[in-house]
Amino acid sequence: MEIDSRAQQLERLLLEREVEQFLYKEAQLLDDRRFSEWIELIADDIHYFMPQRRNVKFGEQYREHSDPESEISWFDEGKATLAGRVRQINTGVHWAEEPFSRVRHIISNIQIEDVQGDEVKVRSNFFVYTNRLKDEVNLFVGTRHDVLRRDADTAWKVAKRTIILDQNVLLAKAITTFF
Amino acid sequence: MVAQIRHSHSERSLRHLVDLEHGQISREIYVNDDVYRQEQEQIFARAWLFVGHETLVPNPGDFFQSRMGEEDVLLVRDRKGQIHVFLNTCRHRGMKVCRYDDGNTLVFTCPFHGWTYGTDGQLVAVPNEESTYHGELDKAAWGLHEVAQLCNFYGSIWATWDAGAPSFEDYLGPFSEGIRRCFQSSDGRDNGVEVFKPPYKWYIPTNWKLPAFSFDGDMAHGAMTHQSINTAAIGPQGELGGGGRHGLRAAFPKTEYEFCSAELGHGGHNPIFELPGVPPYVETWQTAPGVDDYYRRTREEQAKRFADQYLHGGGGCVWPNAIVQPQRILLKHPAGVGRTESWRLYPVDKDAPKLVKDAQRRYMMRYGGPAGLTESDDMENWNYASRASLGTIARRLPYNFQMGLGHAFSDDRVPGITLNNRTAEENQRARLRRWVEFMEAGSWDDIYPMKQT
């Protein structure tokens, strides 16, 4: 096995740190309801995808997640629809988010899986807590597979995001937050 | 009050809670546990319920986990190709014999003690049967519990637990043709659709009747509930024409009405046409190039097929809880007095090219379900309307169902149909009328053929 040089290890560490800080900043923008700034971090060609998850027989895990090529997913969209969601939430008459829910994104277990040119494949876990009106609480827990792309304006943009939510029947009455 | 509810045939029956003459409906029927238990017996153990579509189980051995009322059922195509619906519970000690959402199997083997059933429901094996039951177990009597009647209605699968129920077509009555058309491809061929998998399933903290009775019965909610949606421009035409969530449609001489069977409880928002045939096609898929080419061609074929027919009517709520519309099916399963398991299934032309199926699928995903831009606002209203009706004082206040009360009419062109303005509450009153009849009926003899109430 080739041992990375000290310089390579440092470079890797800096990249990890940079990616972590980007993901934290992104989560903070959502928690602070700065949706119009958040959408600026989304690449124009993003595929924003959250599959549904089936209960399947052992050996059939390959079809546990709904297929973006042919099946129905919770989210399977590009920037146009995501930007539409941002416009909707900013109307003040999107009743599912009026008044705003209290939302907190806890992002952890961040691991860089691959680096290709100006793109980084990164995996992270999320714990999203939402509290609405008095006592409505929803917990969304899962993992994300992202492709981040270096960007001249915003340092990074999210070029692809697959969100694996650990639920079968959705336990929340609606999903009106971003991941 | 609770005791009176339980004894529905007593002197003071449920009718004092459902005052249709004055359009005042007690909130009690939405929040009372005894009413809810009675609904499971009187409605869901008796009515025809939507279970699925044949394209969910295309091959022998395919199964799909569905639901009838509160209970899980298995839609299965047996090894010989016949479709069945079974209650998903082992006859020995009740364990679910299948815990997968869908798949293909030779048998259903219960994970508790190993009772094993064929795809036709027959109990085929019990471990150590000879030594433990001494050869005395009557396996033929202990198969999976199967629905009393099943109907494959142009590809859609419906079932009832009641052998005394009328045929599904009689149950649909004047809605039979309209519901049939919801399962035609866009060129007008029967059995022309398949459904995308998997269905959306989500829980709403509300009584099942609130969404089931208002869906396709509550045109008045749109402008207020969905006032944030046009800014998102989710329709197939994108921002064109103000960003409406529905596609563009051609002008055609017709009038849309609340359109219901006052006797059977079904109802939708449907047209009466002044001309035969179908409206001309209008380009509406500006956001998905190529799709209009397909739908324009199928519309031309549909126009030829129905050139001389007046296609009055259409889909709507099949009483009690299945809303069937072109390209959309919505189910509101009871899951406790204050909880609904909501399902959505999306039919699409079976023979459409992938380009069209993809565009249709993406439109439905951004439109509906709990993550769709339109329906999240419905969830908010249904949830908190239910919550705010629980209190002692709130329960004393009836809901107002007076919109269009006394203004219903009929039209010879649509026999058996009760009409009202497009924005009225006639459909909801029809569902509530049928609700009382089911809740009080001793058997199907009391409610079919329909009694004048």
Side-chain angles (χ1 to χ4, degrees):
Chain A
M1 187 196 286
E2 198 176 322
I3 297 170
D4 288 351
S5 71
R6 183 92 179 147
Q8 284 172 317
Q9 288 174 352
L10 269 175
E11 193 184 339
R12 177 79 176 193
L13 195 63
L14 288 171
L15 179 65
E16 283 172 1
R17 184 80 173 149
E18 197 183 339
V19 163
E20 283 171 11
Q21 290 303 311
F22 173 76
L23 294 178
Y24 294 155
K25 176 185 162 193
E26 192 205 345
Q28 187 197 329
L29 289 176
L30 290 173
D31 294 346
D32 291 348
R33 301 157 181 162
R34 291 157 65 184
F35 305 111
S36 304
E37 291 170 67
W38 175 78
I39 197 73
E40 294 298 314
L41 304 181
I42 303 300
D44 290 342
D45 61 343
I46 190 173
H47 181 220
Y48 184 83
F49 176 59
M50 183 194 278
Q52 294 199 77
R53 300 185 69 185
R54 288 185 174 86
N55 296 303
V56 292
K57 192 172 164 45
F58 181 84
E60 296 181 14
Q61 284 82 5
Y62 64 90
R63 57 181 207 92
E64 179 177 0
H65 297 168
S66 56
D67 181 354
E69 283 300 310
S70 60
E71 296 190 317
I72 297 287
S73 301
W74 296 124
F75 295 98
D76 185 352
E77 61 199 40
K79 190 169 184 181
T81 302
L82 268 179
R85 292 180 188 277
V86 168
R87 289 197 299 277
Q88 183 182 33
I89 207 168
N90 282 334
T91 57
V93 289
H94 176 28
W95 308 120
E97 281 297 330
E98 174 54 33
F100 278 135
S101 302
R102 288 161 285 275
V103 179
R104 199 63 56 195
H105 289 70
I106 312 294
I107 305 298
S108 75
N109 303 52
I110 299 168
Q111 291 174 290
I112 291 179
E113 296 186 317
D114 195 20
V115 181
Q116 292 287 341
D118 62 351
E119 291 192 343
V120 176
K121 237 177 104 179
V122 56
R123 181 175 175 159
S124 57
N125 288 355
F126 62 85
F127 184 111
V128 177
Y129 165 90
T130 72
N131 170 246
R132 172 147 196 76
L133 299 189
K134 295 200 299 190
D135 58 359
E136 184 182 342
V137 170
N138 289 301
L139 307 176
F140 300 98
V141 178
T143 198
R144 301 186 303 190
H145 300 270
D146 290 343
V147 173
L148 305 183
R149 186 185 300 146
R150 286 202 181 274
D151 183 83
D153 295 330
T154 57
W156 295 94
K157 278 201 190 329
V158 184
K160 188 169 163 51
R161 172 159 287 169
T162 296
I163 306 146
I164 308 297
L165 177 68
D166 295 334
Q167 294 184 22
N168 173 253
V169 180
L170 188 75
L171 300 175
K173 75 185 200 295
I175 309 179
T176 49
T177 188
F178 300 93
F179 293 89
Chain B
M1 175 168 286
V2 168
Q4 289 154 8
I5 289 160
R6 189 176 286 127
H7 300 104
S8 61
H9 295 282
S10 68
E11 204 173 318
R12 291 192 63 202
S13 72
L14 284 163
R15 280 167 201 265
H16 78 280
L17 298 174
V18 181
D19 180 357
L20 290 161
E21 194 185 337
H22 300 99
Q24 297 191 25
I25 311 300
S26 170
R27 300 184 189 206
E28 203 68 41
I29 73 166
Y30 296 85
V31 297
N32 184 290
D33 284 317
D34 292 311
V35 169
Y36 178 79
R37 293 305 342 151
Q38 190 172 322
E39 286 174 337
Q40 306 317 307
E41 288 284 341
Q42 295 286 107
I43 297 173
F44 291 98
R46 181 179 278 166
W48 279 96
L49 303 172
F50 181 91
V51 179
H53 192 269
E54 62 182 12
T55 58
L56 291 166
V57 287
N59 302 308
D62 283 351
F63 64 88
F64 169 78
Q65 182 113 223
S66 189
R67 187 171 168 127
M68 291 172 69
E70 289 186 312
E71 296 176 276
D72 290 336
V73 297
L74 291 166
L75 172 65
V76 186
R77 190 182 290 270
D78 73 21
R79 308 304 300 183
K80 291 177 183 158
Q82 193 186 332
I83 290 177
H84 302 265
V85 175
F86 304 113
L87 194 66
N88 186 3
T89 185
C90 183
R91 294 294 305 282
H92 176 232
R93 204 63 83 242
M95 176 62 188
K96 292 180 79 160
V97 297
C98 177
R99 291 163 300 144
Y100 310 120
D101 291 338
D102 55 15
N104 183 281
T105 193
L106 287 169
V107 291
F108 296 103
T109 298
C110 178
F112 199 170
H113 303 89
W115 283 34
T116 297
Y117 304 87
T119 51
D120 60 358
Q122 293 299 308
L123 179 61
V124 291
V126 172
N128 308 311
E129 184 192 344
E130 282 307 310
S131 62
T132 53
Y133 289 91
H134 310 282
E136 294 161 4
L137 178 65
D138 180 8
K139 291 212 293 290
W142 291 92
L144 290 175
H145 186 57
E146 188 160 7
V147 294
Q149 298 186 61
L150 181 148
C151 178
N152 183 336
F153 188 72
Y154 300 102
S156 59
I157 308 297
W158 303 75
T160 171
W161 296 112
D162 196 327
S167 75
F168 183 61
E169 295 214 16
D170 287 345
Y171 181 90
L172 287 178
F175 269 77
S176 181
E177 274 305 302
I179 297 297
R180 170 185 174 178
R181 286 205 298 275
C182 294
F183 296 104
Q184 289 173 347
S185 46
S186 55
D187 59 7
R189 281 176 298 136
D190 280 328
N191 294 64
V193 295
E194 62 187 15
V195 293
F196 288 118
K197 293 185 277 191
Y200 279 142
K201 302 178 187 177
W202 73 105
Y203 292 118
I204 319 172
T206 190
N207 182 265
W208 69 276
K209 291 190 293 302
L210 205 65
F213 286 16
S214 55
F215 219 100
D216 224 343
D218 178 13
M219 199 52 88
H221 86 292
M224 188 66 200
T225 296
H226 299 303
Q227 62 177 295
S228 70
I229 189 63
N230 282 15
T231 185
I234 61 168
Q237 74 282 15
E239 314 232 340
L240 201 69
R245 66 187 188 276
H246 304 296
L248 306 177
R249 290 162 201 176
F252 195 69
K254 62 173 182 175
T255 310
E256 294 266 347
Y257 297 102
E258 281 228 314
F259 197 103
C260 65
S261 165
E263 289 82 19
L264 293 166
H266 317 307
H269 286 89
N270 294 319
I272 292 181
F273 289 101
E274 304 298 334
L275 289 175
V278 299
Y281 189 73
V282 166
E283 308 270 307
T284 189
W285 287 91
Q286 284 79 4
T287 58
V291 175
D292 277 321
D293 295 338
Y294 173 79
Y295 282 125
R296 191 188 313 108
R297 184 171 57 73
T298 59
R299 180 68 62 88
E300 283 163 10
E301 288 172 33
Q302 188 197 27
K304 275 183 225 156
R305 189 167 271 121
F306 299 118
D308 304 324
Q309 293 183 41
Y310 287 84
L311 300 184
H312 309 309
C317 177
V318 176
W319 202 87
N321 68 334
I323 296 93
V324 179
Q325 300 165 319
Q327 302 170 334
R328 300 160 209 223
I329 295 166
L330 179 66
L331 309 171
K332 298 294 178 185
H333 302 290
V337 64
R339 192 167 184 237
T340 300
E341 186 172 318
S342 191
W343 286 31
R344 260 202 177 285
L345 286 133
Y346 296 107
V348 65
D349 284 10
K350 209 184 283 188
D351 297 334
K354 185 173 187 313
L355 170 88
V356 171
K357 288 184 184 177
D358 285 350
Q360 188 69 38
R361 185 168 54 90
R362 292 192 183 116
Y363 174 39
M364 290 300 125
M365 287 190 287
R366 65 182 182 264
Y367 187 107
L373 282 88
T374 308
E375 294 195 333
S376 58
D377 288 326
D378 289 313
M379 304 310 141
E380 181 78 358
N381 287 333
W382 291 332
N383 176 20
Y384 288 103
S386 193
R387 291 280 298 272
S389 296
L390 285 171
T392 301
I393 305 302
R395 286 189 193 205
R396 295 176 189 166
L397 307 174
Y399 288 150
N400 181 313
F401 283 86
Q402 295 173 336
M403 196 186 298
L405 183 66
H407 296 274
F409 55 97
S410 59
D411 187 306
D412 292 341
R413 292 173 290 181
V414 287
I417 293 294
T418 296
L419 299 166
N420 206 319
N421 286 351
R422 183 164 178 267
T423 302
E425 288 169 345
E426 204 62 43
N427 289 356
Q428 299 190 66
R429 288 190 292 272
R431 289 173 209 177
L432 287 158
R433 186 177 298 111
R434 196 59 170 156
W435 182 87
V436 174
E437 289 168 0
F438 263 70
M439 290 290 274
E440 295 191 334
S443 76
W444 267 101
D445 293 340
D446 298 336
I447 46 178
Y448 198 94
M450 297 79 76
K451 299 279 187 288
Q452 292 302 317
T453 53

